Structure formats: structure tokens, C-alpha cells
Amino acid sequence: MIEIDPNEQVLRIVRKHWFILLGDLFLLVICIAVPFVLLFALNLLPFGELFSFSGTPAFAGSFFLFAWLFIVWMIGWTLWTNYYLDVILITDKRVFTIEQIGLFRRTSTSFRIDRIQDTTVIQHGVIQTLLHFGTIRIETAGEGPNFAVPYIKNPYDLKKFVNEVHDRALERSQLVHTEKDITKESA
Amino acid sequence: MGQEQQLRLLFSFMFPTRYNYGAMINSSLAALNFQIPVTPLLLFAVMALVVAMWGIFTLIVRYHWKHYGAGKLEVFTMNFFYLGGSLILITLMGASALFYLTSAT
């Protein structure tokens, strides 16, 4: 599972909007249509002359069709895995942004929630506005990079949640300081 | 007029030409005497290759789900659909290859 401390509590897992899966679906539909287009082309052009069948051609055709669909099946699961493993994970202490690119490239970044300085939501265009998704940008204290994750679903809801968790983290840290000060005074 | 002839006519209407490319390719192939023999062995070899590829892919993708997935129930559901669908497609492929083998002369 994701690399969090055992005493850390996962508060929310946020994924990208389903709309970005439509592009992948379109690619898959094209891939599925390829053998049927080929079949149509084989009827029009005499490419059938290229092959000599020792059995019923329909069975050979169905075999190659299922083999192709099996390959498309694997491509589909690769695309799904890329979508599924791209997450923002919010715990009571940190925010993780994990980006999976292909099967062998993965970027995981985390920062302490009390280091957040500014949270911005950017929505561009009609589709993002109507379907409620957009980019969330989180700026942190220090020289580290800022975090921008695009195509996040319900970004305003996430922003509100991050701000609440941030406030709680700040209150907790202030309480700790106060307790320390009291101890010093009593000593 | 047969359906194939109708389609050919439609095709020639869309791309008007005074050459019959289909007949030209046909006669060229006949002159070359070049044919790919589709034997049951070829089908089983292709199937073995695809299934081996699937095995490697399954190892990689399930490793990702197991180590980076964000919920045990989600990972279980994905495994269920992935393995179920894969088994169905492998069975269909195997059945087609077997039917081809039995129909081969």
C-alpha cells in the first residue's frame, strides 16, 4: 500500500475526474474497431489470396479476433491502472500527490499539512465548470516546488477540506506550544 | 447483384479510376506465388506468445495494484474482473484454435 506511517490516519483519497478516461475509452473503441475495418477491407481487396488455410477460415478469423481483443484488454487495464494510481492522499499529517505515468514511471511527493500557505483552484472552460473538475494548486512554505494536480474532481470541495485539515493541524501545533510554555512557567 | 459486387461498385464509385487495382494485386500475387500458410501450429504458437505476454503483464500490473493501491476491496474487485475477463478471452482463443485444428485437413 501507499507509504504512510502506521500512526498516520488517511482522511481522504481523491482521484482525477472520469472525464479524462473518455480519451482512453475512445482509443480503445478505435482499437476494437480495427479488426472489423480490416474484415471490410479484406472483402473489398483480394488480400485473402495472401493466406492459405488448412482448416475453416472462420475459426482462424475468430482466433485472431480474440487474440487482438486480448491485447486490447491488456492495453485497457494499463490505461485504467494509470488512472487509478494517480491520487491525492490526505492524511492527518501530510498530503501525498502520486502520479503514475505508464507502468514504470511513478512520482510520489509529500509535504506536511501545516506547511500549506495557499490553495488555489483553477477551472478552464465550459466542460470543467459543468462537470465540476479542475486544477488544484497548493503552495507551501519554503523553497520546495508548489503542487499542481490537474483534472481533480470537485476541486472546491477538496480545497475546503484541505483548509479545514490545515486549520486543525495549526491548532494542534499551537496547543503543543502552549503546553510547553506552561511547563516552563511552572518549572 | 451480390453484396460483394455492390460493395466493389460503391468502392469504385468513391474512387473512380480506369484501373482495377484489385485484379492487379490478385494477378501480381498469383505471379509471385506468395502465400502465408495459416496452420494450427501457427495459431497455437501465437496463443502461447500472447499468453506469455499476458503472464508478464499480469505480474507487473498486480504488483502495482498490491503495492500502490489505496484500498483492499478495490484491489480485490479489480483482480476479480481482470482475471475473470482474461480467462474468458483465453478460453475463447483456445476454443477457436482447437476448432481450427479439428477442421484442418
Side-chain angles (χ1 to χ4, degrees), chain A residues 54-113:
Chain A
S54 55
T56 313
F59 290 137
S62 66
F63 171 82
F64 285 112
L65 176 70
F66 290 130
W68 175 251
L69 289 180
F70 196 40
I71 292 167
V72 174
W73 174 255
M74 286 188 268
I75 295 170
W77 278 101
T78 309
L79 298 173
W80 167 258
T81 305
N82 280 344
Y83 168 78
Y84 174 73
L85 296 180
D86 277 1
V87 287
I88 296 181
L89 196 134
I90 300 159
T91 71
D92 52 347
K93 290 178 184 170
R94 287 180 291 177
V95 175
F96 292 82
T97 56
I98 299 156
E99 196 177 0
Q100 183 80 33
I101 305 157
L103 287 175
F104 298 104
R105 195 170 156 201
R106 182 178 162 83
T107 315
S108 173
T109 324
S110 66
F111 54 90
R112 289 195 63 83
I113 211 145

Side-chain angles (χ1 to χ4, degrees), chain A residues 178-187:
Chain A
T178 315
E179 278 171 16
K180 274 182 184 172
D181 290 340
I182 290 167
T183 321
K184 277 176 189 172
E185 279 169 19
S186 63

Side-chain angles (χ1 to χ4, degrees), chain A residues 1 13 15 44 46 49-56 62-63 67 70 73-74 77-78 80-81 84 100 103 106, chain B residues 8 22 26 35-38 40 43 50 54 57 61 64-65 67-70 74 78 86 93 96 100 103-105:
Chain A
M1 293 292 163
I13 298 168
R15 292 211 162 78
L44 291 173
E49 302 290 327
L50 268 173
F51 305 102
S52 72
F53 297 97
S54 55
T56 313
S62 66
F63 171 82
F70 196 40
W73 174 255
M74 286 188 268
W77 278 101
T78 309
W80 167 258
T81 305
Y84 174 73
Q100 183 80 33
L103 287 175
R106 182 178 162 83
Chain B
R8 280 175 197 274
N26 222 352
Q35 279 194 321
I36 302 164
V38 183
L43 262 59
V50 174
W54 172 80
F57 176 77
V61 87
H64 279 79
W65 295 345
H67 288 88
Y68 309 128
E74 282 177 358
M78 285 195 301
S86 299
M93 241 165 54
S96 300
Y100 188 71
S103 70
T105 48

Side-chain angles (χ1 to χ4, degrees), chain B residues 11-49:
Chain B
F11 199 65
S12 61
F13 171 74
M14 285 164 74
F15 305 101
T17 172
R18 61 196 181 97
Y19 301 109
N20 185 347
Y21 288 117
M24 284 167 71
I25 295 167
N26 222 352
S27 61
S28 307
L29 288 173
L32 283 170
N33 200 19
F34 176 73
Q35 279 194 321
I36 302 164
V38 183
T39 59
L41 186 69
L42 176 79
L43 262 59
F44 282 110
V46 170
M47 187 172 159
L49 200 73

